[in-house]
Amino acid sequence: MLADKTSSAVIAVKDMARAKEFYEGKLGLSQADMGMDDSAGGVMYKTGSSRVLVYPTQYAGTNQATAIGWGCGEDLGTIVDELKSKRVSFEHYSDMPRVKMEGDVHVMGELKAAWFKDPDGNILNLVIKM
């Protein structure tokens, strides 16, 4: 039923100007056509072959789980370094079983991942492969 349908992540934010600065300025995402009037206040971004809808709501930042992840391949370390140069802080989850930290990257066998938050506290993830 939905296996061949396009999907997108949806991120709730409190301040669209601050969100645009983060998602465009720090993450480097480009706005995409939403296919509708943007007067609703949200912005659609293109990321790879996917999309991310960022929209304003009073409930922003209440999700305590990962909201979106990017498969970065071997570029993971370079992307982490670039985001750090843009003053993005990374999360360290020391309570995860069998995890070894390599700087800001969690290593779990062959899986490598890093987590960071947007200005509203939404948890975003970079992983070596998805």
Side-chain angles (χ1 to χ4, degrees):
M1 173 175 46
L2 295 178
D4 63 344
K5 304 300 180 204
T6 302
S7 65
S8 62
V10 180
I11 307 287
V13 300
K14 292 179 184 166
D15 181 324
M16 281 303 299
R18 186 174 67 178
K20 284 181 181 181
E21 180 181 316
F22 181 80
Y23 285 93
E24 294 173 26
K26 295 193 185 241
L27 302 188
L29 301 184
S30 298
Q31 290 189 26
D33 181 23
M34 289 200 327
M36 61 181 207
D37 183 343
D38 65 354
S39 63
V43 174
M44 184 71 74
Y45 291 105
K46 181 166 177 27
T47 174
S49 61
S50 302
R51 298 181 305 167
V52 177
L53 173 63
V54 176
Y55 76 101
T57 176
Q58 66 183 355
Y59 302 108
T62 59
N63 182 4
Q64 297 301 305
T66 302
I68 184 173
W70 285 272
C72 299
E74 295 301 322
D75 294 333
L76 177 66
T78 302
I79 293 169
V80 168
D81 290 343
E82 187 174 337
L83 289 173
K84 284 176 70 171
S85 77
K86 295 180 179 184
R87 304 177 55 91
V88 172
S89 298
F90 284 83
E91 303 294 304
H92 291 189
Y93 298 115
S94 60
D95 60 343
M96 294 175 70
R98 297 182 300 279
V99 171
K100 178 179 137 191
M101 296 299 299
E102 290 181 1
D104 292 309
V105 176
H106 299 68
V107 179
M108 301 154 274
E110 292 184 23
L111 178 68
K112 294 181 180 182
W115 286 266
F116 59 100
K117 293 181 180 179
D118 75 0
D120 288 293
N122 293 301
I123 302 169
L124 313 177
N125 170 255
L126 306 173
V127 65
I128 201 157
K129 64 180 178 177
M130 295 189 97

